[in-house]
Amino acid sequence: MKTRFTVLLLTLFMSVNLSFAQEDSQEECMTNLSLFDGYAKSKKYDDAYGPWKIVREKCPKFNRAIYAHGEKILTHKITNSTGAEQVAFINDLMLLHDQSREHFESKYDLADVLVDKANLAYKYKKELNKTDEQVYAMFDEAYTKDAKNFSDAKGLYSYFSLAVDLYDAEKLSAQQMFDKYDDVNEIIEGIIESNTVKLNKYAAKEEAGEQLSKKEAQRKASYESYINAFETKILPSMDQKLGKRATCEVLIPLYEKDFEENKNNGVWLQRAMNRMYAKGCKEDPLFLKLVQQKNTIEPSADTAYYLYVLTGEQKYIDQTISLSTDPLKKAKLYKGLAQELKAKGSYSKARQYYMEALKLNPSDGSPYLSIAAMYAKSANNCVIQTLISVPYFG
């Protein structure tokens, strides 16, 4: 009986001590959280490092600020160190990215964590003694495991850029490089489309004469900035990086060689004809062959559009419009049709299609610029014609 009482008393004593220890630990974490939060907000990252480290080690689930501020603190340490010390901080930031998802999974998508680590490895490739293949594999893991959340502009460009570098080093085939271009391009098109849909809501509100609230104006500016970054910086940079590796002289033999193997693969056919059209290879018989095959197995607005480009027949314009249901994709097709007609000098019809594109995507102002350019050219032509028709009296 006495032994049982002693054990019970000892258990109770240990329980009380553990409770007090936990309270002390919580209090210590709260104090240090307040300290490093204040320092970090003032950008005094060296002062923040000590108390931040205590909270991270003792209370890793305590507050998400551990990971939000922690990234800034360690980035500062990396920037202001060299050699083995710098490598240690880089590896610690890699670990912190993993821990952020481990302890706050709902706040950190898998792709975000993997891309952050890949971006870090890419930036400090030399210091970490990593090869292009190793860093590419890190980006590829993010794409393979969580493509829908792979939206980081810098990461997407670096991923593709490494694919080109590996192609140049003969470690990826031309087809693999083009596939990666298309993979990344499709992600970017999805991001642009998603932000355009959100942006158009505000554009419609403004067109109706309503004033946007301060918050709405900020969101509108954010969507515009995001779209602009991808459309005017990332996509052109990708095309510049691809450069002469994607000329007609390269593409035609490649697609000729792989046609029989892929003639029933709708994705391959779509990408091949898109690439040939984008690079000005539409005059080659292979382009028609690709389009006709795609139209045979999977008729779509795209194939109808390309058939119009090839034949100039009105029925394919009608088919293009009838097969296109998504408003943004339809707006893009209208712009494509307008550009083809503009190139042929059919300004009146081109203007009609530019206006249709504007109705479907009011936040895209580029049709206005094209219409203005047509008016300017028409005006110049009229002036020239007038000058030619006026008799000269010398």
Side-chain angles (χ1 to χ4, degrees):
M1 184 74 177
K2 185 177 179 181
T3 303
R4 286 181 183 177
F5 179 76
T6 302
V7 170
L8 182 63
L9 192 65
L10 184 61
T11 303
L12 183 62
F13 179 74
M14 289 174 67
S15 176
V16 169
N17 276 350
L18 182 62
S19 178
F20 280 133
Q22 287 175 337
E23 285 181 16
D24 287 344
S25 179
Q26 291 284 311
E27 188 175 343
E28 183 184 10
C29 285
M30 181 62 78
T31 301
N32 282 290
L33 172 67
S34 180
L35 282 172
F36 86 70
D37 181 65
Y39 284 135
K41 285 176 179 175
S42 302
K43 298 186 179 180
K44 296 178 179 178
Y45 298 122
D46 287 323
D47 293 328
Y49 183 73
W52 166 77
K53 196 173 179 184
I54 291 169
V55 182
R56 178 192 179 188
E57 290 172 356
K58 291 196 171 185
C59 312
K61 296 180 183 289
F62 197 63
N63 192 293
R64 196 161 70 91
I66 298 167
Y67 306 99
H69 286 326
E71 183 175 358
K72 297 172 187 174
I73 291 167
L74 286 176
T75 298
H76 170 81
K77 289 291 189 182
I78 292 166
T79 305
N80 292 279
S81 59
T82 57
E85 184 184 32
Q86 185 184 52
V87 171
F89 282 130
I90 294 168
N91 286 326
D92 198 25
L93 182 51
M94 293 273 192
L95 176 62
L96 186 76
H97 286 311
D98 287 330
Q99 290 173 336
S100 67
R101 181 166 165 81
E102 179 186 346
H103 299 300
F104 290 90
E105 187 174 346
S106 64
K107 300 293 184 182
Y108 294 91
D109 292 321
L110 178 60
D112 288 337
V113 170
L114 294 175
V115 172
D116 282 343
K117 290 172 67 178
N119 278 333
L120 191 62
Y122 187 70
K123 184 175 182 178
Y124 294 101
K125 188 172 59 172
K126 184 179 176 182
E127 289 79 0
L128 295 171
N129 197 28
K130 286 192 178 290
T131 65
D132 283 349
E133 286 175 288
Q134 289 172 321
V135 180
Y136 178 80
M138 292 176 75
F139 283 115
D140 201 47
E141 183 183 8
Y143 175 78
T144 305
K145 292 183 176 179
D146 193 18
K148 72 179 186 296
N149 290 310
F150 193 156
S151 59
D152 179 76
K154 182 170 67 175
L156 285 165
Y157 177 75
S158 298
Y159 184 29
F160 170 69
S161 180
L162 282 166
V164 176
D165 292 341
L166 289 172
Y167 164 76
D168 288 345
E170 299 183 352
K171 292 179 179 178
L172 284 183
S173 68
Q175 186 63 63
Q176 287 173 313
M177 177 183 64
F178 292 136
D179 283 344
K180 198 46 57 188
Y181 177 95
D182 291 324
D183 290 340
V184 173
N185 194 64
E186 284 168 11
I187 288 176
I188 291 173
E189 283 185 351
I191 292 169
I192 291 171
E193 184 175 330
S194 171
N195 282 273
T196 301
V197 168
K198 295 171 187 174
L199 183 60
N200 280 340
K201 291 178 183 177
Y202 296 121
K205 192 172 181 179
E206 286 181 316
E207 282 188 6
E210 297 180 51
Q211 189 170 355
L212 299 182
S213 67
K214 186 178 178 181
K215 199 168 189 178
E216 287 173 331
Q218 288 173 341
R219 285 176 181 166
K220 179 174 178 280
S222 176
Y223 298 142
E224 286 172 336
S225 175
Y226 208 40
I227 292 167
N228 184 63
F230 281 106
E231 286 188 335
T232 66
K233 294 177 183 176
I234 304 301
L235 287 174
S237 295
M238 284 173 59
D239 285 329
Q240 188 176 3
K241 178 81 177 184
L242 197 58
K244 293 181 179 179
R245 300 170 187 85
T247 60
C248 296
E249 290 75 18
V250 174
L251 294 172
I252 293 167
L254 175 69
Y255 294 144
E256 281 279 17
K257 177 173 70 71
D258 295 340
F259 179 80
E260 281 302 316
E261 183 183 343
N262 293 282
K263 65 182 181 182
N264 293 312
N265 181 338
V267 172
W268 184 89
L269 290 167
Q270 181 73 48
R271 288 180 168 186
M273 64 186 194
N274 286 350
R275 170 94 29 251
M276 288 191 69
Y277 180 76
K279 292 300 176 181
C281 313
K282 61 186 180 184
E283 305 302 326
D284 191 90
L286 176 63
F287 182 67
L288 176 60
K289 186 177 175 182
L290 290 165
V291 173
Q292 288 176 330
Q293 179 62 14
K294 179 67 163 58
N295 199 53
T296 300
I297 65 168
E298 291 176 2
S300 69
D302 287 329
T303 54
Y305 169 67
Y306 287 138
L307 285 168
Y308 162 71
V309 169
L310 290 165
T311 66
E313 294 181 28
Q314 179 65 36
K315 67 178 181 180
Y316 291 121
I317 290 185
D318 299 334
Q319 190 180 356
T320 298
I321 294 166
S322 67
L323 287 171
S324 183
T325 54
D326 181 271
L328 293 181
K329 287 186 173 64
K330 196 166 186 174
K332 193 174 179 180
L333 284 166
Y334 272 130
K335 272 179 66 175
L337 286 167
Q339 284 158 5
E340 286 289 330
L341 289 162
K342 178 186 170 187
K344 293 173 183 176
S346 302
Y347 288 172
S348 177
K349 196 71 175 173
R351 182 184 180 281
Q352 179 187 331
Y353 285 132
Y354 277 130
M355 295 306 294
E356 291 296 333
L358 278 166
K359 287 178 191 175
L360 293 165
N361 186 10
S363 64
D364 178 11
S366 63
Y368 284 123
L369 298 175
S370 297
I371 291 169
M374 288 191 298
Y375 276 130
K377 192 164 184 180
S378 294
N380 288 337
N381 286 341
C382 288
V383 170
I384 291 167
Q385 288 299 322
T386 301
L387 290 171
I388 291 170
S389 62
V390 172
Y392 172 69
F393 297 99

